[in-house]
Amino acid sequence: MLIIGSHVSFGKEQLLGSTKEAISYGSTAFMFYTGAPTNTIRKEIDKKLTTEAIKLMQENNIELKNVICHAPYIVNLGNRENEEKYQFSIDFIRNELKRCDEMGISSMVLHPGNAVGKITKEEGLTNIVNALNQILDGTTKCKILIETMAGKGSECGSTIEEIAYIVNNTNKQDQIGVCIDTCHINDAGYDVNNFNEYLDKFSTLIGLNKIGCLHINDSKNPKDSHKDRHANIGKGTIGFNPLIDIIYNEKLSSIPKILETPYIGDTDEDKNRLYPPYKFEIAMIRNKEYNPNYFADIRDYYQKNK
Ligand code: FE
Ligand code: FE
Ligand code: ZN
């Protein structure tokens, strides 16, 4: 069975709301933030809503192991210029893992961090590893999946070598893994048309058993651009068929694939992003057939169902 979904919101109904949204797109997996990705304010996890969510998942072919959390991206474990802030980030991420444990969520995606200011990439990577070894102190169960980054600005983790450094130096090996983002690896300079070559290198330096999630995004920019701007499936520089080849790669059949593509507006130029593309992108992926008019179909569908 194809394990596919998108990122969804985690609102008032928490995991139950996310599950309902994922079902509306025809998903068998999904990813959510446990609060706004841009801040660190968090509400208590509601047990009743969680139980209801898990029941609804079971009725709709969504396995809990394919439900992924994403840590907020404002937390930067690469920066240790201010020890207090660094410790705050460590405690915050550990707390997010606890929240995941409360819901039975087994994986949380994390952007490794940035080497900001005067520090070098190496120092940034050292800070990240040190932080991970403090976070994973044996009091939690949920895994951390380090995301492969585009290499925008001072981002750490844009090469397989950097990801390998982080993963291989983490003490708790059973709680560390990787999330591969197709837009990011394209922008970082890897050839997504030769994904098996990428996997071979990944396998040598890290191990395929460490892959816990795939982010499926097209890219608005060419290979090696170091930009990180996601495009809708088939509308970017990667294109539909290379993404299909990655999604259906036999070595990755048990790994959840998550779309993080942008919402679309009433027209192509419209900056008011109103409509989620996921129901239609998932359908094309299931059919392995690109529909060049799918933006029009999305507008039609949501305008009728407003
Ligand atoms: Fe991410
Ligand atoms: Fe991503
Ligand atoms: Zn991105």
Side-chain angles (χ1 to χ4, degrees):
M1 191 190 65
L2 179 64
I3 308 167
I4 186 123
S6 67
H7 96 85
V8 295
S9 55
F10 184 84
K12 265 195 267 150
E13 284 197 308
Q14 299 190 348
L15 198 59
L16 181 60
S18 310
T19 306
K20 286 177 183 168
E21 187 182 340
I23 291 167
S24 79
Y25 304 145
S27 314
T28 47
F30 64 86
M31 182 175 80
F32 66 94
Y33 290 92
T34 67
T38 49
N39 71 45
T40 52
I41 303 159
R42 291 294 179 267
K43 267 210 218 114
E44 290 246 326
I45 298 298
D46 185 313
K47 267 198 189 135
K48 210 175 140 246
L49 290 173
T50 306
T51 310
E52 275 180 62
I54 291 169
K55 189 167 164 268
L56 193 61
M57 286 177 212
Q58 284 163 349
E59 293 163 356
N60 287 276
N61 259 318
I62 300 174
E63 285 187 64
L64 191 55
K65 70 174 168 57
N66 297 325
V67 175
I68 313 273
C69 173
H70 197 308
Y73 38 72
I74 44 148
V75 174
N76 180 11
L77 301 179
N79 184 2
R80 202 176 177 168
E81 276 174 340
N82 179 327
E83 192 61 33
E84 223 170 285
K85 264 195 197 160
Y86 183 68
Q87 284 304 326
F88 174 85
S89 300
I90 287 167
D91 293 340
F92 177 76
I93 294 294
R94 194 190 295 113
N95 239 325
E96 286 287 81
L97 292 176
K98 280 188 184 134
R99 289 159 64 84
C100 286
D101 284 353
E102 282 175 45
M103 292 183 278
I105 303 295
S106 52
S107 303
M108 183 178 80
V109 174
L110 176 73
H111 294 189
N114 293 60
V116 287
K118 276 176 271 170
I119 68 165
T120 62
K121 259 277 174 67
E122 287 67 33
E123 288 171 294
L125 289 166
T126 306
N127 293 341
I128 293 163
V129 167
N130 174 70
L132 288 170
N133 285 332
Q134 286 190 53
I135 293 164
L136 300 173
D137 61 358
T139 62
T140 57
K141 281 206 298 211
C142 182
K143 265 190 193 176
I144 291 179
L145 304 178
I146 299 295
E147 182 162 354
T148 62
M149 302 309 285
K152 190 174 65 181
S154 56
E155 269 172 7
C156 298
S158 65
T159 64
I160 299 179
E161 286 81 0
E162 286 171 18
I163 297 284
Y165 179 85
I166 297 169
V167 170
N168 297 339
N169 284 293
T170 300
N171 299 330
K172 267 213 151 267
Q173 278 298 306
D174 56 332
Q175 256 184 292
I176 192 83
V178 180
C179 169
I180 298 175
D181 186 309
T182 56
C183 167
H184 297 177
I185 63 171
N186 170 76
D187 289 17
Y190 293 101
D191 184 2
V192 278
N193 287 294
N194 261 319
F195 192 64
N196 274 317
E197 216 169 86
Y198 178 89
L199 282 187
D200 283 346
K201 190 165 183 192
F202 192 102
S203 165
T204 309
L205 296 180
I206 303 169
L208 295 185
N209 62 331
K210 287 289 185 214
I211 302 174
C213 181
L214 246 73
H215 284 171
I216 304 294
N217 303 303
D218 214 321
S219 175
K220 289 197 169 144
N221 293 287
K223 178 174 162 256
D224 214 15
S225 57
H226 301 277
K227 281 283 191 348
D228 188 6
R229 289 186 64 216
H230 301 185
N232 290 98
I233 301 305
K235 301 274 186 187
T237 60
I238 299 176
F240 189 70
N241 290 325
L243 290 173
I244 288 292
D245 286 347
I246 293 171
I247 293 166
Y248 287 95
N249 189 305
E250 274 176 19
K251 291 176 192 149
L252 307 171
S253 60
S254 65
I255 310 299
K257 284 95 187 171
I258 304 292
L259 299 161
E260 300 175 297
T261 50
Y263 275 41
I264 70 159
D266 266 322
T267 62
D268 276 338
E269 294 75 35
D270 190 1
K271 297 277 180 287
N272 287 313
R273 307 240 168 232
L274 301 167
Y275 310 125
Y278 309 120
K279 181 182 165 68
F280 292 79
E281 289 179 329
I282 289 171
M284 289 193 302
I285 288 166
R286 284 192 192 286
N287 298 333
K288 299 187 192 174
E289 195 179 295
Y290 185 62
N291 165 12
N293 297 316
Y294 81 95
F295 275 15
D297 293 350
I298 292 170
R299 288 176 189 121
D300 254 24
Y301 178 83
Y302 285 105
Q303 279 160 4
K304 275 185 200 132
N305 291 290
K306 240 187 223 167

